[in-house]
Amino acid sequence: MSSENDQLVWKAYAVKDTKKWSEFEIINFEPKTFDDYDIDIKINYCGVCGSDVHTITGGWGGNTILPLITGHEIIGTVHRVGPKVTEFHVGDRVGVGAQIWSCLECESCKADKEQYCAKAVDTYNDKYPNGDIAHGGYSTAIRAHERFTFPIPKELDSKMAAPLMCAGITVYSPLKANNVGKGKVVGIVGIGGLGHLAIQFAKAMGAKVIVFSHSPSKEKDARELGADEFVVTSDASFANQWERKIDVLLSTADVSSGFPLGDFFKVLAAEGTFVVVGIPDDKLPQFAAPGLVLKGAKLAGSKIGSKKGIIEMLELAAKHDVKAWIEELPMKECGTAVKDVKEGHVRYRHILKMDLE
Amino acid sequence: MSSENDQLVWKAYAVKDTKKWSEFEIINFEPKTFDDYDIDIKINYCGVCGSDVHTITGGWGGNTILPLITGHEIIGTVHRVGPKVTEFHVGDRVGVGAQIWSCLECESCKADKEQYCAKAVDTYNDKYPNGDIAHGGYSTAIRAHERFTFPIPKELDSKMAAPLMCAGITVYSPLKANNVGKGKVVGIVGIGGLGHLAIQFAKAMGAKVIVFSHSPSKEKDARELGADEFVVTSDASFANQWERKIDVLLSTADVSSGFPLGDFFKVLAAEGTFVVVGIPDDKLPQFAAPGLVLKGAKLAGSKIGSKKGIIEMLELAAKHDVKAWIEELPMKECGTAVKDVKEGHVRYRHILKMDLE
C-alpha cells in the first residue's frame, strides 16, 4: 500500500497531435496546484470511453490542450489527502469520473446536480479557474477534489468498477431521473460500452427492457445482458410494430445524421422521453414536430451524473451484480484501444492497466 | 333562449379547394350521429386559429376532407343533450376546443391527459371511429361529447372566452406542467394569438416573464400584457446576454427553418425546458447536442390540454382577468380573417360572430 511518504510519479501516455490520434508518447506532467480538499490518487485502471476518441481526434472541434492526457474512468488508491478532506484516507480504493471540479456554490451544485454547474471542469482537456490544466487517467496519478472522488464498494472489482465512473453513471442517471422501474418499458438504443451497462441497470431497476440495434448479430449478447426483447432497426417497419409502446428511450448510439430519430418518436408512448447522452461530432438530426407535440413527448439531454447518483449506482451495481464486459490491456496499448473504439470493435469496454512506474 | 323544440340549423362557411383557401362558401352539412353523451350546441362565436390556416392551405400535407369546415375556438349555447349527459342543461353557455373525442379508456384518458389518447379525434378535418366526419366551428352548430364540452364561468365574456378554447389551453397546459410559478423565470417566444395569452397566464401564475420577439415594435404591447423584460432576438447577441437565465421557454412562434433553436438552448438554465406547441409546415430546425446534453435540458412537445386543465385555466382567467385582445368580425368575413392570420396582421385574435340563421 502506498503512503504519503512514498514519492508519487506523474507520468502519462499522451497524444501530441490530434492528426496522429493513435500515437501515444510517455510524458511527465504537472498536476494541478494542491488544495486543501484535494486527494492524490495512484491510478491502477482506466477505462477507454468514446469521449476519449472524440477528443483525441478533434472531432468535437474547439481547442485541444496538447499534449493531451485522456481517460476518465479511473480507479486507484488514495496516496495523499489535503488537510480538509474528511471522507477519504490514504489507502482507500476510489474512483474518478468525467468531471473533476465545480463551483459547489450554485443552485445546481447545492441540489446535487453538480454536473450541470456552469463552471464545471472536465477531467481532461479542460482548465481550472486558476489556469491549471486538468489531465486525465491514462496516467500514473490524478489529483482530484474530494467531491469528485468516489468510494468504491468492496463487492466491486476494480476493473469492473472503472467503466461505471463514466459509462455507468451516464446511463444510470437518466434512467433514475425518468423514474425507470417496475411497470415501465424502457428502450435501450445501441449496445456498446454504455448500452451494455444500460440494459443491466434498467433490468436491475425492475423495468421491461427492449433493445434496439441495427446489428442482428448482437441479439445473443443483448439477451444475456437482460433484454426482454430485441428489435432490429435496419428493418424500417420496426417503428410501426413498436408504436407508442416505450416509456423511456435511452440512446447510447450517436444521434446524428442518419439516425432515425423520427421513427423513435413514433415508438415513444404518450408523454414519453427520448434521452440523448452522447455528443456526436455533428448536429442532431432533423425530425418533424408532430412526433413531439401530438403526444407530449420530450427530447432530453443528460450529462454523466452527480456524486450522489454515482454512490447510488455503485450500490445498485453491487447488489444486482451489474458487470461491465471488459477486455483488459496494458496501458502501453492505449493506441490500439482507442482505434478499437473508433472502429467499433470493442465488446464492450477496454480497460487499461497502468504499467508505468 | 333555444330549446330542444327549436329546429337547429346545420350550416357553415366551408372551403372547397385548398388552393382557394380564402374562398368560403355557405353549405349545409350533416353532424355526426347523435349519441347518448352528445350535446348539440348553437354557436355564437368562433376564434380563428393558426391551425385553421395550416389546414385550409394544406400546409400540413395529408388528406384534407372537403368541403372543409374549420374553427375550434367555439362558444355557444346548449340546445339539446343526450340521455346520459349529466353535466350540462339546455341553455348553458359552453365551449368546445380543438379536440372533439377520445377513447376515454386508455391510460392517457384515465389520467386526465385525453389530449394524448392515440385515438383522439380533432374537432375538424378528422373522422370518428364510425366514419362520421368531424366539422368545426365556422358554422351554426356543433355536436360534441360532454367530455369535450366545457362550462364557461359567468365572469368571462363569450368573445374573450373563445380564444381560450385552443390558444389559451395550448399555452396554459405546458406552463402548468412545467411548474411555472413564483420564483421561476419564464420566456415567451413570439407575441401573437398564443403568445399574448401566454404572457398573461405566466404572470398570473406568479412567474417573472421575459418576452422574446424579433419585432421591436411589439415591446409596448408585451409590457402592457405583463412582460417584465422584452428581448429583441434579431440582435444575435441576445443569447449571450441571457445565457442560462430562463427556466422554461415556451415558443408560440413557428419552430422551423431559420428559428434560432440553438441560441434558445443557450438561454435555458440548467435542466430547463424549451416547449414547442405548434406544428410548422416543415421539420424542426437542427441544433447541436451540447445545448441539450451539457445542461440536462429538454425539448418538449405539448398539445392543447385536458378538460381538467381547461376548467383550471378558465378559473385562473376569471380570477386574474386574463383577456384576449380581440378583433371581432361577422363570420361572413372569415376569408379576410384567415388571410390576416396567414399574413401576420392580427393583434391578436380574430373572433368570428355567427351571422347565419
Side-chain angles (χ1 to χ4, degrees):
Chain A
M1 191 184 287
S2 56
S3 83
E4 283 200 46
N5 298 324
D6 296 339
Q7 190 64 35
L8 201 56
V9 172
W10 300 92
K11 277 190 189 172
Y13 290 97
V15 163
K16 291 192 167 170
D17 181 347
T18 55
K19 290 194 193 72
K20 297 178 184 168
W21 55 268
S22 65
E23 294 177 20
F24 289 81
E25 289 179 40
I26 297 169
I27 64 164
N28 293 299
F29 70 98
E30 274 292 312
K32 75 179 284 287
T33 312
F34 195 83
D35 280 333
D36 288 354
Y37 291 98
D38 280 348
I39 299 171
D40 282 350
I41 300 160
K42 190 175 179 199
I43 295 177
N44 301 312
Y45 292 98
C46 186
V48 179
C49 176
S51 303
D52 300 353
V53 178
H54 282 287
T55 308
I56 294 170
T57 59
W60 282 335
N63 294 323
T64 308
I65 301 171
L66 296 171
L68 172 66
I69 306 168
T70 52
H72 57 208
E73 295 186 337
I74 298 163
I75 301 292
T77 310
V78 174
H79 181 87
R80 173 189 178 195
V81 295
K84 292 191 176 163
V85 169
T86 58
E87 211 182 325
F88 299 98
H89 301 93
V90 171
D92 285 355
R93 193 168 57 134
V94 294
V96 171
Q99 182 179 1
I100 201 71
W101 192 84
S102 72
C103 80
L104 302 182
E105 290 169 359
C106 70
E107 269 187 58
S108 293
C109 285
K110 284 185 192 157
D112 280 315
K113 298 284 181 76
E114 64 269 19
Q115 72 269 34
Y116 298 128
C117 171
K119 297 178 179 167
V121 176
D122 295 336
T123 296
Y124 60 76
N125 198 39
D126 207 349
K127 284 185 181 170
Y128 285 89
N130 71 352
D132 285 353
I133 296 171
H135 292 297
Y138 294 6
S139 60
T140 52
I142 192 162
R143 182 165 289 166
H145 189 287
E146 76 170 333
R147 174 74 170 252
F148 298 93
T149 303
F150 317 118
I152 306 299
K154 62 181 187 317
E155 299 86 345
L156 295 178
D157 183 81
S158 293
K159 279 179 281 198
M160 297 300 175
L164 300 181
M165 297 297 107
C166 175
I169 188 62
T170 296
V171 297
Y172 172 83
S173 187
L175 292 173
K176 182 76 194 295
N178 286 287
N179 304 312
V180 164
K182 218 170 147 65
K184 292 273 184 148
V185 182
V186 176
I188 306 298
V189 185
I191 315 176
L194 274 68
H196 90 292
L197 290 170
I199 298 168
Q200 296 180 68
F201 277 120
K203 203 68 204 167
M205 290 163 137
K208 184 171 175 182
V209 180
I210 319 297
V211 171
F212 295 85
S213 168
H214 54 68
S215 310
S217 66
K218 288 195 174 170
E219 175 161 3
K220 188 174 161 285
D221 286 358
R223 293 198 183 268
E224 196 173 328
L225 289 158
D228 295 291
E229 301 276 353
F230 183 85
V231 181
V232 180
T233 56
S234 52
D235 178 349
S237 67
F238 86 91
N240 295 329
Q241 285 164 23
W242 287 89
E243 188 173 353
R244 280 181 172 253
K245 295 206 168 109
I246 312 285
D247 297 309
V248 178
L249 276 163
L250 170 58
S251 180
T252 66
D254 254 13
V255 181
S256 57
S257 61
F259 185 92
L261 192 51
D263 287 336
F264 279 109
F265 272 106
K266 196 165 184 181
V267 158
L268 273 184
E271 299 183 88
T273 300
F274 183 99
V275 185
V276 179
V277 294
I279 296 177
D281 290 350
D282 57 348
K283 288 184 172 182
L284 296 167
Q286 279 201 289
F287 63 101
L292 205 64
V293 174
L294 296 186
K295 58 169 81 148
K298 292 185 187 77
L299 177 68
S302 178
K303 180 192 172 193
I304 46 172
S306 65
K307 180 170 191 166
K308 186 171 173 229
I310 289 170
I311 289 170
E312 274 175 22
M313 168 197 69
L314 291 170
E315 277 170 17
L316 189 74
K319 187 173 167 196
H320 289 267
D321 204 23
V322 171
K323 269 192 180 141
W325 291 12
I326 63 165
E327 297 178 38
E328 184 183 326
L329 293 171
M331 201 173 281
K332 66 183 175 197
E333 289 180 31
C334 53
T336 305
V338 298
K339 259 198 272 184
D340 283 351
V341 173
K342 175 105 177 133
E343 291 163 7
H345 291 154
V346 197
R347 289 199 172 179
Y348 287 100
R349 206 66 163 178
H350 274 320
I351 304 301
L352 303 171
K353 184 173 182 183
M354 178 36 72
D355 52 9
L356 297 172
E357 290 295 326
Chain B
M1 188 184 290
S2 58
S3 84
E4 284 202 45
N5 299 323
D6 296 338
Q7 190 64 32
L8 200 57
V9 172
W10 299 92
K11 276 189 189 173
Y13 291 96
V15 163
K16 291 190 167 172
D17 182 346
T18 54
K19 289 194 193 69
K20 299 177 182 166
W21 57 268
S22 65
E23 295 177 20
F24 289 80
E25 289 179 38
I26 297 169
I27 65 164
N28 294 298
F29 71 97
E30 276 292 312
K32 75 178 284 287
T33 312
F34 195 82
D35 280 333
D36 289 353
Y37 291 97
D38 280 349
I39 300 171
D40 282 351
I41 301 160
K42 191 176 178 197
I43 294 176
N44 301 312
Y45 292 99
C46 186
V48 179
C49 176
S51 303
D52 300 354
V53 178
H54 282 287
T55 309
I56 294 169
T57 59
W60 282 335
N63 294 322
T64 308
I65 301 169
L66 297 170
L68 172 66
I69 307 168
T70 51
H72 58 209
E73 294 186 338
I74 297 164
I75 301 291
T77 311
V78 174
H79 182 87
R80 174 191 178 196
V81 295
K84 293 190 177 163
V85 170
T86 58
E87 209 182 326
F88 299 98
H89 301 94
V90 171
D92 286 354
R93 192 168 59 134
V94 293
V96 172
Q99 181 179 2
I100 200 73
W101 192 83
S102 72
C103 79
L104 303 183
E105 289 169 358
C106 70
E107 267 186 60
S108 293
C109 285
K110 285 185 194 159
D112 280 315
K113 298 284 180 76
E114 63 270 18
Q115 71 269 34
Y116 299 128
C117 171
K119 296 177 178 167
V121 176
D122 295 337
T123 296
Y124 60 75
N125 198 38
D126 207 347
K127 284 185 180 170
Y128 285 89
N130 72 353
D132 285 353
I133 296 171
H135 292 298
Y138 294 5
S139 61
T140 53
I142 191 162
R143 181 164 290 164
H145 189 288
E146 77 170 331
R147 173 78 171 249
F148 298 93
T149 303
F150 316 118
I152 306 298
K154 64 181 185 316
E155 298 86 348
L156 295 179
D157 184 81
S158 292
K159 280 180 279 198
M160 297 300 174
L164 300 182
M165 296 297 107
C166 174
I169 188 63
T170 296
V171 297
Y172 171 82
S173 188
L175 292 173
K176 181 77 194 292
N178 286 288
N179 305 311
V180 164
K182 216 170 149 65
K184 292 272 185 154
V185 183
V186 176
I188 306 297
V189 185
I191 315 176
L194 274 68
H196 90 291
L197 290 171
I199 297 168
Q200 294 181 68
F201 278 121
K203 203 70 203 163
M205 289 162 138
K208 182 170 175 183
V209 180
I210 318 299
V211 172
F212 294 86
S213 169
H214 54 70
S215 310
S217 66
K218 289 194 172 170
E219 176 162 3
K220 188 172 161 288
D221 286 359
R223 292 199 183 267
E224 196 173 327
L225 288 159
D228 294 291
E229 302 275 355
F230 183 84
V231 180
V232 180
T233 55
S234 52
D235 177 349
S237 67
F238 87 91
N240 295 330
Q241 283 165 25
W242 288 88
E243 189 173 354
R244 281 184 172 250
K245 294 204 169 115
I246 312 284
D247 297 310
V248 178
L249 276 163
L250 171 58
S251 180
T252 67
D254 255 12
V255 182
S256 57
S257 60
F259 184 92
L261 193 51
D263 286 337
F264 279 110
F265 272 105
K266 196 166 183 180
V267 157
L268 274 184
E271 300 184 86
T273 299
F274 183 100
V275 185
V276 179
V277 294
I279 295 178
D281 291 352
D282 58 349
K283 289 184 174 182
L284 296 167
Q286 278 202 291
F287 62 101
L292 206 63
V293 174
L294 297 187
K295 59 169 80 144
K298 292 186 187 75
L299 177 69
S302 179
K303 180 190 172 193
I304 47 174
S306 66
K307 180 171 192 165
K308 187 171 172 229
I310 289 170
I311 290 170
E312 274 175 21
M313 168 197 68
L314 291 170
E315 278 172 16
L316 189 73
K319 188 173 167 196
H320 289 267
D321 204 24
V322 171
K323 269 191 180 143
W325 290 11
I326 64 166
E327 298 178 37
E328 185 181 325
L329 294 171
M331 201 172 284
K332 66 182 173 198
E333 289 180 30
C334 52
T336 305
V338 297
K339 258 198 274 186
D340 283 351
V341 173
K342 175 107 177 129
E343 292 163 7
H345 291 155
V346 199
R347 289 196 173 181
Y348 287 99
R349 206 64 163 179
H350 273 321
I351 304 301
L352 303 172
K353 184 174 184 185
M354 180 33 74
D355 52 10
L356 297 171
E357 292 293 327

